[in-house]
Amino acid sequence: MMSAVTELGYLGLSVSNLAAWRDYAAGLIGLEAFEEEGDAGRLFLRMDRWHHRIELIEGGGDDLLYLGWRVAGPLELDEMEDKLRKAGLAVERRSSAEAVNRHVLGLIRLMSPGGIPTEIFYGPQVDNHKPFHPGRPMFGRFVTGEQGLGHVVVNEPDVEAAVRFYQLLGLRGSVEYLLSAPGGGQIALTFMKVNDRQHSIAFGVPNSTKQINHVMLEYSELDDLGIAHDQVRARRIPIAMALGKHANDAALSFYSATPSGWLVELGWGGCKAGAQQEYHRRDIFGHEVAQQGFGLDDLRLANEPDKAV
Ligand SMILES: [Fe+2]
């Protein structure tokens, strides 16, 4: 049995405005934000019983710092390290101090083909004694568990190399959208999965300037998505892609700008990953580009009004 990651467990972000992020993450999205004593310039975001799912580090960049993929335990981590080394990848075994810093028992680290710092870990700290306390009232919860924290769309310019890399980690997937490009030709978007979540990572968005395009977080209750949508509009936060329903994961979602200038996709109602590959030419409804400049400008996911359905 080849070792494989089981889920996207955590991620880290560099942010220039920690206060704005606290307000956006806790007050708008509903994440639980907290600091640890003596840890200035560092904010943890909690979604469930885990110690945290997202770490914010104050500093320049306003981009992704790392992704953390989970394996079951120490044996699986050793097997994964061995497999990656045999594939010729430069893997670092990180120190126990770094594991403590990440609130996990052990981790290795390597780079994806696109330069995404990729950590593989086991044994996250799970605070079962501490109920999740949302940053604003919520009707439900965040969909996590075996599906991990959500999904990310990242910059992997060499898509073929990226597919091989994530396959080594244990993910599967291929192109799920073939979209007409504005200047002619087609844009292919690749989605990869590793558990019941329809996808955990995707790439292929052209002209990316940041390592991260968006992170998607999923609500269990539609009304929580509605509250977030009201809040985004009340605060006049740019909505890069309007409310709509994706053809692949069936999630009702919209994309709003984070204080770091990239996007959070908030969603509800995502379907489970299917066993077979399929691709789509557009979304079911909505998802028109509502504001330019957030890396989604060329994605014609929305129905073009002048064309018949
Ligand atoms: Fe997404």
Side-chain angles (χ1 to χ4, degrees):
M1 184 71 181
M2 292 286 272
S3 62
V5 301
T6 57
E7 69 211 56
L8 178 61
Y10 63 66
L11 58 86
L13 304 168
S14 64
V15 307
S16 55
N17 190 340
L18 210 50
W21 258 98
R22 180 197 290 271
D23 188 44
Y24 179 79
L28 192 156
I29 297 174
L31 298 163
E32 181 177 348
F34 67 100
E35 281 135 352
E36 301 247 282
E37 240 182 272
D39 237 0
R42 192 179 183 206
L43 189 70
F44 291 109
L45 301 178
R46 197 165 181 248
M47 298 178 73
D48 49 22
R49 300 286 181 93
W50 283 39
H51 177 270
H52 70 277
R53 292 290 193 165
I54 300 173
E55 179 189 16
L56 306 178
I57 304 275
E58 196 163 33
D62 279 308
D63 208 343
L64 183 65
L65 286 175
Y66 57 83
L67 293 177
W69 298 92
R70 185 186 194 178
V71 289
L75 185 65
E76 288 79 4
L77 190 66
D78 289 346
E79 283 176 4
M80 179 63 78
E81 184 177 6
D82 192 45
K83 179 169 76 170
L84 296 170
R85 283 190 200 285
K86 280 181 179 150
L89 294 165
V91 185
E92 289 174 67
R93 174 68 68 153
R94 305 303 276 197
S95 70
S96 52
E98 284 168 294
V100 168
N101 190 273
R102 291 279 189 269
H103 293 266
V104 300
L105 292 175
L107 75 153
I108 58 175
R109 187 172 164 108
L110 72 165
M111 283 290 176
S112 82
I116 308 283
T118 300
E119 298 180 355
I120 301 169
F121 71 95
Y122 76 93
Q125 178 181 336
V126 179
D127 292 335
N128 275 338
H129 65 284
K130 192 178 160 198
F132 170 66
H133 184 90
R136 54 107 165 143
M138 277 178 67
F139 288 102
R141 58 182 181 82
F142 290 99
V143 177
T144 58
E146 289 176 356
Q147 296 191 23
L149 69 87
H151 73 240
V152 285
V153 173
V154 296
N155 187 25
E156 292 283 1
D158 186 341
V159 170
E160 278 181 35
V163 168
R164 284 196 298 275
F165 175 80
Y166 291 105
Q167 280 174 344
L168 262 179
L169 264 55
L171 288 89
R172 63 191 168 82
S174 185
V175 172
E176 292 188 5
Y177 283 95
L178 279 176
L179 304 171
S180 308
Q186 296 200 109
I187 294 170
L189 301 178
T190 295
F191 295 74
M192 299 192 73
K193 57 206 80 187
V194 70
N195 51 44
D196 270 353
R197 190 175 291 280
Q198 202 278 336
H199 57 278
S200 291
I201 193 164
F203 34 84
V205 178
N207 309 317
S208 300
T209 52
K210 292 195 180 269
Q211 292 285 53
I212 189 163
N213 173 273
H214 70 263
V215 55
M216 188 268 203
L217 307 176
E218 185 177 354
Y219 295 113
S220 67
E221 299 300 318
L222 175 58
D223 293 348
D224 285 319
L225 181 68
I227 288 178
H229 194 254
D230 278 355
Q231 280 292 315
V232 164
R233 288 187 305 158
R235 298 176 188 207
R236 304 194 186 286
I237 293 170
I239 292 178
M241 197 170 264
L243 203 59
K245 193 172 180 189
H246 283 308
N248 63 342
D249 69 6
L252 181 68
S253 72
F254 71 98
Y255 297 69
S256 70
T258 68
S260 289
W262 46 270
L263 302 170
V264 161
E265 178 187 10
L266 296 172
W268 167 82
C271 68
K272 290 187 173 177
Q276 310 273 32
Q277 246 357 106
E278 54 188 49
Y279 78 94
H280 314 283
R281 302 305 308 263
R282 45 161 280 209
D283 271 345
I284 298 167
F285 65 83
H287 279 161
E288 67 269 20
V289 174
Q291 185 119 7
Q292 304 263 314
F294 291 96
L296 301 177
D297 303 354
D298 293 344
L299 300 190
R300 293 178 170 173
L301 287 167
N303 184 32
E304 289 171 52
D306 55 333
K307 280 190 189 161
V309 175

